Amino acid sequence: MEIVKIPNMDKAEYDKLIEEGFLSRIAFQGRKYPYIAPFLYVFDGKFLYFLATKYGRKNDLFRQHPYVSVEVEKYSSDLSCYTFVTMQGYLVQLEDAIEKKLIREKFVHMIKAHNLSKNILAALGHKPEEPIEAIASEERSNIWKLTGVTDIVALKNL
């Protein structure tokens, strides 16, 4: 019996997957087990950026071990089509006020472009009844940037 391997995606294909998406999973190093959490992201063509509330286990794990694995996927409801990319790198917290403002504006644009529910605001430190623009005008969340990517695995069945 022959084992069939899932084909690799080239850079243009996985960049397109990342550009079209907005939801990822980040795996942090835990004490004994990894800790995996979902995150909204934006992609500027080179780096992925994540909004992270300023509370919770992820913040402690980020400070202890900023090295993470990030996964972005897309699949059909019956799984007849699927693609995914995983990237290993490390997170840095943005500190520059201008850069943070620009990235926050990208998040506002992404939420509007994908017509996401305002309920997502609760995952970003805001009340759902607040205007989406509050993400850009207030700093209720940290902005993390994925950098130092050392390994990318991108597979597809298409």
Side-chain angles (χ1 to χ4, degrees), residues 145-158:
K145 174 181 176 179
L146 180 66
T147 189
V149 173
T150 59
D151 189 28
I152 297 174
V153 175
L155 302 175
K156 63 180 178 180
N157 81 322
L158 305 174

Side-chain angles (χ1 to χ4, degrees), residues 52-59 122-123 125 142:
T53 56
K54 295 183 177 188
Y55 62 88
R57 184 186 307 182
K58 66 191 167 298
N59 287 285
N142 295 316

Side-chain angles (χ1 to χ4, degrees), residues 117-132:
S117 167
K118 288 186 73 177
N119 290 335
I120 196 63
L121 289 171
L124 305 173
H126 296 267
K127 293 179 181 176
E129 58 270 12
E130 293 180 51
I132 292 171

Side-chain angles (χ1 to χ4, degrees), residues 90-136:
Y90 61 91
L91 298 173
V92 295
Q93 186 164 309
L94 295 187
E95 301 296 342
D96 180 78
I98 294 170
E99 187 178 16
K100 288 192 298 187
K101 177 76 170 167
L102 292 172
I103 297 302
R104 288 180 190 285
E105 288 171 354
K106 286 182 183 288
F107 273 97
V108 169
H109 176 76
M110 179 274 295
I111 290 168
K112 288 180 176 182
H114 288 282
N115 198 29
L116 300 183
S117 167
K118 288 186 73 177
N119 290 335
I120 196 63
L121 289 171
L124 305 173
H126 296 267
K127 293 179 181 176
E129 58 270 12
E130 293 180 51
I132 292 171
E133 292 77 12
I135 293 169

Side-chain angles (χ1 to χ4, degrees), residues 35-52:
Y35 177 74
I36 301 171
F39 284 84
L40 290 178
Y41 72 86
V42 293
F43 181 55
D44 69 359
K46 187 172 180 182
F47 296 102
L48 285 144
Y49 298 88
F50 310 92
L51 284 180

Side-chain angles (χ1 to χ4, degrees), residues 4-102:
V4 177
K5 290 187 172 186
I6 301 171
N8 290 317
M9 285 193 284
D10 62 31
K11 182 173 181 352
E13 289 175 305
Y14 65 74
D15 276 355
K16 183 177 183 215
L17 170 65
I18 294 167
E19 286 170 7
E20 291 176 351
F22 56 86
L23 187 62
S24 66
R25 289 179 181 79
I26 300 179
F28 297 86
Q29 296 178 40
R31 283 191 182 144
K32 186 172 181 180
Y33 301 103
Y35 177 74
I36 301 171
F39 284 84
L40 290 178
Y41 72 86
V42 293
F43 181 55
D44 69 359
K46 187 172 180 182
F47 296 102
L48 285 144
Y49 298 88
F50 310 92
L51 284 180
T53 56
K54 295 183 177 188
Y55 62 88
R57 184 186 307 182
K58 66 191 167 298
N59 287 285
D60 295 334
L61 295 173
F62 162 72
R63 284 189 291 274
Q64 293 168 12
H65 303 285
Y67 292 89
V68 297
S69 183
V70 175
E71 187 254 0
V72 174
E73 64 189 24
K74 181 179 178 182
Y75 50 88
S76 62
S77 61
D78 67 354
L79 294 181
S80 61
C81 299
Y82 55 87
T83 58
F84 68 91
V85 59
T86 61
M87 300 153 275
Q88 288 72 46
Y90 61 91
L91 298 173
V92 295
Q93 186 164 309
L94 295 187
E95 301 296 342
D96 180 78
I98 294 170
E99 187 178 16
K100 288 192 298 187
K101 177 76 170 167
L102 292 172

